[in-house]
Amino acid sequence: MKDFAGKIAVITGGGTGMGRELARQLVAEGCNVAMCDVSEAAMAETRRLCETEKLPQGLRVTTHVADVAIEDHLKRFRDEIAEQQKTDKIHLLFNNAGIGGGGSLFTNTREQWERTFNICWGGVYLGVRTFLPMLVAADEAHIVNTASVNGFWASIGMNQAHTAYSSAKFAVKGFTEALINDLRLHAPHVKCSVVMPGHIGTSIVSNSRKVQSADGSERLSDDEVALTRKRMVAAGVPDADKMSDEDIQAVFAERARSFLEDAPTTATQAAKIILDGVKAERWRILVGEDAKRLDERVRATPEQAYDRAFYESLVQEVGWRLG
């Protein structure tokens, strides 16, 4: 697929971050876009940004509220696309939606753990299941599944567990690699790619909190404040046990801000790398120099990948401040 003009793209998690930037860049190339998200307001802003310059006649940008972990939501999303985009086929599927959280089997609840896993993995699986007939109906099509560097390295540092997200992203990576031959055998005109970003400047920290809590607030609950303080104490943060609840809230707010604003790769840059990878029919798309370096290092010394020395030298090399 050398260009996207006149095509129809489906994007999950289109309200913010990479999903928003994928929508903007696809529309700029003349591609019709249908996006879903749990936030109608966020999608409205994405659509406004897509329409900053008047859309060409006939080009469609549609928004749909859906939770990708719920199959009936995705089926409704599919049916709305068929009606509103006036189509029985799509050309591009970006399974992009994801959240963090539920990192530990010990300190997080089962509900938090499974919420993260069911969105980050289940949303990809159900997305492919739901839209595969519409992809096959097109003359050419491409599935783009967003994993992460945590799809080949299950860590964000030595002081914080990261099991739910990493497990989901490993599943996405394996599923997409297995799809390569499944598609080749049964629908050779449909291609697939697994995207593995490093640290990308998105709102995933604050968005994850909103989705996990279901209250839409950017402030931590009392239980979350206590858990954050406990993690900070375990990480050796000076006087963390003496910090007030408001101090802990400020630490969380700063982490969300820093993750968005201080990342080595912006969401705009990431979207361009992804779309260029699709045009080149690359099945494996690493996003960011940090992702490339981490991939090289894990492959070179896999047995040392979870040692403290590995992480500390990686942080020095790529400038991460995640753990």
Side-chain angles (χ1 to χ4, degrees):
M1 193 178 298
K2 301 305 180 185
D3 66 79
F4 306 127
K7 304 292 196 300
I8 301 172
V10 171
I11 305 170
T12 68
T16 59
M18 292 193 303
R20 171 176 288 175
E21 294 305 320
L22 285 167
R24 293 180 68 183
Q25 293 181 32
L26 285 164
V27 167
E29 293 198 32
C31 185
N32 300 283
V33 168
M35 73 186 86
C36 79
D37 201 285
V38 293
S39 172
E40 190 169 10
M43 284 190 292
E45 175 62 11
T46 299
R47 181 170 181 169
R48 186 191 70 78
L49 291 168
C50 288
E51 296 174 346
T52 298
E53 296 184 11
K54 189 175 180 181
L55 296 179
Q57 186 175 2
L59 197 68
R60 296 184 177 93
V61 178
T62 58
T63 61
H64 312 262
V65 176
D67 182 333
V68 297
I70 302 174
E71 187 169 11
D72 284 346
H73 283 205
L74 285 173
K75 288 180 177 178
R76 185 184 67 223
F77 178 32
R78 176 201 60 200
D79 294 344
E80 289 175 358
I81 289 171
E83 178 182 357
Q84 296 180 30
Q85 295 274 352
K86 304 184 187 308
T87 185
D88 61 354
K89 62 179 70 70
I90 64 170
H91 304 88
L92 293 154
L93 172 63
F94 294 89
N95 286 308
N96 165 78
I99 64 167
S104 173
L105 290 171
F106 297 89
T107 60
N108 291 106
T109 65
R110 178 169 180 168
E111 289 74 20
Q112 290 172 328
W113 202 100
E114 292 184 357
R115 183 72 172 133
T116 299
F117 188 81
N118 290 341
I119 290 173
C120 292
W121 155 243
V124 172
Y125 168 68
L126 293 174
V128 172
R129 278 284 191 194
T130 301
F131 288 102
L132 191 59
M134 295 182 81
L135 290 158
V136 172
D139 54 355
E140 61 174 345
H142 204 117
I143 299 166
V144 185
N145 294 331
T146 299
S148 165
V149 292
N150 290 131
F152 59 78
W153 185 65
S155 177
I156 54 170
M158 306 303 296
N159 297 315
Q160 185 171 337
H162 202 49
T163 60
Y165 186 86
S166 295
S167 299
K169 296 305 186 178
F170 265 79
V172 171
K173 178 177 179 289
F175 174 62
T176 311
E177 291 191 23
L179 269 179
I180 294 170
N181 207 48
D182 202 358
L183 292 169
R184 187 178 291 151
L185 291 169
H186 300 106
H189 64 296
V190 181
K191 311 300 180 185
C192 66
S193 299
V194 58
V195 175
M196 292 175 285
H199 180 186
I200 309 300
T202 71
S203 300
I204 190 172
V205 173
S206 57
N207 287 346
S208 296
R209 198 272 149 195
K210 292 176 184 178
V211 172
Q212 287 282 10
S213 66
D215 64 7
S217 173
E218 295 187 2
R219 288 178 60 83
L220 300 175
S221 67
D222 291 344
D223 288 344
E224 289 169 330
V225 167
L227 180 57
T228 301
R229 182 182 288 109
K230 184 177 180 180
R231 286 174 177 164
M232 291 171 66
V233 170
V237 176
D239 296 325
D241 57 332
K242 300 175 183 177
M243 295 174 68
S244 69
D245 288 0
E246 283 304 312
D247 289 336
I248 299 295
Q249 294 281 4
V251 168
F252 175 77
E254 171 57 22
R255 179 169 175 259
R257 184 211 64 77
S258 178
F259 195 95
L260 172 63
E261 298 177 9
D262 299 337
T265 306
T266 67
T268 301
Q269 292 168 330
K272 185 178 188 309
I273 292 168
I274 293 167
L275 295 178
D276 287 347
V278 171
K279 289 177 181 178
E281 291 193 356
R282 288 165 41 213
W283 70 263
R284 191 173 191 270
I285 304 173
L286 291 167
V287 183
E289 289 303 314
D290 54 343
K292 294 176 183 177
R293 290 297 299 126
L294 181 55
D295 178 56
E296 292 169 359
R297 294 183 60 143
V298 171
R299 287 172 177 274
T301 58
E303 292 292 333
Q304 285 76 53
Y306 300 105
D307 294 347
R308 182 172 293 276
F310 180 97
Y311 176 72
E312 290 178 350
S313 63
L314 177 71
V315 168
Q316 289 183 349
E317 182 177 347
V318 303
W320 274 3
R321 293 182 293 171
L322 302 183

